[in-house]
Structures are given as structure tokens and as C-alpha cells.
Amino acid sequence: MDETFGQCLRRLRGSRSFRDVASVAACSKSYLSDLERGLKTPTPQMVAALDQALGARGELIALADVKPGTDPLVQADALQQGLHEALASGPLTDSSIEEVEYTVARHGRATRYRSERELFPELLGDFQDLRLLLTNRQPAPARKRLTIAAAQMSGLMALTLLKLGDARARAWWRTGRAAAAAAEDRATLSWMYAQEAYQLYYGNDLEGAVELAVRAQQLAGGLPCVGDALAAPLEARAHALLGRPEDTARALAAAEVALGRLPDEDQIGSAFGYTEASLRFHSGNALTHLGETSRAGEQQARALELYPASDRTDRALIRLDQAMCFAVDGDPAGAAVHATNTIVDLPTENRSALIIYRARDVAARVPRARAVSEVRVLREVLALPPGERDSNSGADQPGNGGRR
């Protein structure tokens, strides 16, 4: 049977008199009686006072917003939300904080095998829970751990929006950096700058990407951390697109050192980790940009050996790098076939804006071969109008960032 606010109030009052409850909740006996009989509607302040006075743990708060006759499922949602808020308002135990940290780590791992559209709603819901915890007063150690978790979740939000092609990712980088700085966590701040460098890299701001990648390495300051291992190869890729082979080689060497110093627990398939598979992918990408297709091919082959089949996004990007190498070596048909198969073999939910953008770069890399049937098929798969020159990618101009 559905229970109204008044009925719940009567049940929770139990054997206590109107006078006793009214004195604790700072209201009159008659007002309390009217609430139980459903003759009056309580104010939010009174609901909160009664909930606390009767130890309802959010039950009265949840029912206060439910009108009589409301769908039971709606009532269940309201009850769950009220109880959840009541639990979040209390002091956090170590187990509570560990649950938050586990949730963040789980989302980091999920970025390697779940699509962005699938992950985003769950990420958003858990972040709302974290925000609720941060709005309440917490002891300094607990608040620091929650703030670090908020920085990491902000980074995941930004990465997800970046892959979805949504410019709002930029705002989340700012929030994440602010949270990491507030927690005075150098490793997390380094990670934030390294990840944000990708935003600039894919936005064609290559000098900006180099600057943030260098900033991430400086913040690491020799500390073995993911930010350092992640930033160095990104710096190399940006230098390669800018036509700087010596700087590329230096950054790749730094990346090898950073990965070698990274603890085993950080060499994991996660947005919060970095692995040899990732380094081989990124090294191959940098060498592709430099036109060193033979060396790039070795790195790409090794990366595909190391990446699990579940990591669809990076495996697809590696295959698109292979297609780009075919194009650089003068095989437009082979490039188009390889890129087309990469897109077609990828589940629809994994065809993110980032993947399509990279495939369009391959198509734009062979503008003089548009009469080749394989190239036409690729452009049709990408829904590009026949004969359109991709003026945004600028792939015909060396060193401008057109080839990812």
C-alpha cells in the first residue's frame, strides 16, 4: 500500500506525543496534527526538521515531494533519492571513501572497452553523487581524497566529451585542474595537463599541446607517475606534425624512460594508467607523421599484438595509422581499403567523432586519387560528398597538424 507523508509521519512518531515531537521540531501540536491528517502541506524547512527529529534518514524528505496517487515507481525514485541524500550528509567512513575511489578507478578502466555514449550517463550519475558528498563538511583528510576523486572524474568527463566531439570538454579540464591544485596532488595535476594536451592536439593547436605536455612533465618533476609517461609521447606526436624530427626523437626517448620508471600498478589498461601498448601506438603515430613508415609499421604491429581485442578505439586508430602509411608510400587504394575496413569492422557505438575524424584525414591524404574506386567507397562510408576537398584537415600542407 502506498504511504503518504502524513501516514509516514504518524508511523515514525510512534508512541511519542504531539507535544514531544513538536517541541523538538519547533512547531505547534495542532500543526503537527494537521500534517498527519493531510490537512496541511509542510514547508521544506519543516520537512527537514521533522525528518531529523524523528530520525527518518530522508524518508520524510522523499515523501514530501510525492503527491497522493503518484506512480509507485516515481515514489520509489523519490524515496531512493531522499535516503541517498541523507546518507551522504553524514560523516564518511574509510569504507565510504574507498567506494568512491573504486568507482572512479572502475570508470577509468571502462574507458578502454566501453563506448563513450554508453559510459557517459553512468559517469554523470556517479559524479553527481560525488558532488553531493563534497557539499557537506568533511574532515580534511577525507575532503582531500574526495577532491582528488573529483579531479579524476572531471578528467574522465573531459575525455568522454572530447571523444564525442563536444567542445564542453574544455570546461571540464579547468575544473579538473582546479580540483587537483586544491588537493595539492602533483601527480594528479600532471595527469590533468597531459590529458588536456590531447584536447589541443586534436584541436590542431600543436604548439599549445607541446606547452601543456611539457608542463605535465615539469609538474611530475622526476616523480614516477602516469602524467609524465602520458605527456612525453604526446609531445613527440605534436613535434612530428610540426616537422621537428630531432624534438620528436628526444620526446620519444623521454617517453621510454618514463614508462620504464612507472610502477607496475600504473601500467594498466585505464585512463589512469599507461602501458607499452599505448607507447607503441603513440610512437608509431609520431613516426607516421614524420613519414618514417617502415619504423612506424614495426611499432604499429607491436601495439596490435599488445592491445586486447576489447580496446576497440585504440586498435582502430592504429589501423588508421597503418592506412596513412599506405597513403604515404603511394598506395591510395590500399590506404582506402584498410581505412574502410577499419570503420566497417567497428561496432556503430564505437565510431566516435575521433575515429571518423582520423578516417577523414586518411581520405583527405589522397586527394589526387579520388577517381580510385576504393577511395570513393571510403568517402561514401564516411558520408563525405564526392569530390569534396577536406579544407579543415589541410592534409596537403606539411607540418600543419592535418595528419593525426
Side-chain angles (χ1 to χ4, degrees), residues 180-194:
E184 297 184 325
D185 189 280
R186 195 158 47 111
T188 301
L189 188 56
S190 172
W191 178 82
M192 286 297 308
Y193 270 107

Side-chain angles (χ1 to χ4, degrees), residues 69-387:
T70 301
D71 187 307
L73 291 177
V74 175
Q75 294 187 46
D77 288 341
L79 178 60
Q80 180 274 325
Q81 185 62 29
L83 290 172
H84 189 78
E85 291 176 1
L87 290 170
S89 66
L92 287 180
T93 64
D94 285 342
S95 294
S96 300
I97 302 176
E98 286 171 5
E99 278 297 301
V100 171
E101 293 169 338
Y102 170 76
T103 298
V104 175
R106 180 168 57 84
H107 283 308
R109 291 189 295 272
T111 60
R112 311 311 301 175
Y113 62 87
R114 298 186 68 187
S115 69
E116 292 74 38
R117 290 179 179 81
E118 187 180 36
L119 180 62
F120 185 68
E122 293 182 19
L123 188 64
L124 187 61
D126 286 328
F127 208 161
Q128 289 170 337
D129 290 346
L130 176 56
R131 180 182 179 276
L132 188 61
L133 293 174
L134 281 167
T135 59
N136 299 309
R137 295 181 62 86
Q138 306 291 350
R143 187 164 191 83
K144 179 172 182 175
R145 291 170 67 180
L146 290 176
T147 304
I148 292 172
Q152 294 172 328
M153 288 286 274
S154 296
L156 291 179
M157 288 286 288
L159 283 172
T160 303
L161 290 168
L162 171 61
K163 292 177 182 178
L164 290 172
D166 195 311
R168 280 171 286 198
R170 291 181 178 273
W172 282 104
W173 295 126
R174 293 196 300 273
T175 299
R177 281 190 278 107
E184 297 184 325
D185 189 280
R186 195 158 47 111
T188 301
L189 188 56
S190 172
W191 178 82
M192 286 297 308
Y193 270 107
Q195 294 286 18
E196 187 179 1
Y198 278 84
Q199 178 88 45
L200 302 186
Y201 176 82
Y202 287 111
N204 207 30
D205 181 2
L206 300 178
E207 294 290 2
V210 169
E211 181 177 349
L212 291 193
V214 170
R215 171 68 170 163
Q217 294 170 80
Q218 290 173 340
L219 282 167
L223 178 71
C225 64
V226 174
D228 192 23
L230 186 65
L234 190 279
E235 180 191 355
R237 296 166 72 187
H239 282 312
L241 279 169
L242 289 166
R244 301 168 180 169
E246 292 182 0
D247 287 332
T248 301
R250 175 189 52 76
L252 286 178
E256 296 283 354
V257 172
L259 179 64
R261 298 173 59 229
L262 199 62
D264 290 343
E265 58 266 27
D266 289 331
Q267 295 192 38
I268 56 174
S270 165
F272 302 119
Y274 198 74
T275 64
E276 184 190 351
S278 296
L279 181 54
R280 298 305 150 224
F281 160 34
H282 295 149
S283 296
N285 181 257
L287 294 168
T288 298
H289 295 329
L290 290 178
E292 298 184 22
T293 56
S294 178
R295 293 177 60 201
E298 294 174 359
Q299 296 290 313
Q300 292 157 1
R302 178 58 177 158
L304 289 174
E305 288 178 7
L306 294 171
Y307 269 116
S310 59
D311 202 329
R312 296 186 179 94
T313 296
D314 281 3
R315 290 184 67 87
L317 289 170
I318 294 165
R319 293 182 64 190
L320 290 173
D321 276 347
Q322 290 177 322
M324 184 65 77
C325 286
F326 289 146
V328 171
D329 288 340
D331 183 6
V337 168
H338 204 67
T340 300
N341 289 340
T342 298
I343 299 301
V344 171
D345 292 344
L346 202 61
T348 303
E349 63 270 17
N350 292 105
R351 298 175 193 175
S352 66
L354 178 58
I355 296 291
I356 299 303
Y357 180 82
R358 185 71 179 93
R360 287 180 176 177
D361 271 351
V362 176
R365 186 66 179 83
V366 286
R368 298 178 184 83
R370 287 175 181 159
V372 177
S373 61
E374 292 86 353
V375 177
R376 291 201 304 272
V377 170
L378 172 60
R379 297 179 71 82
E380 289 170 3
V381 167
L382 296 173
L384 293 177

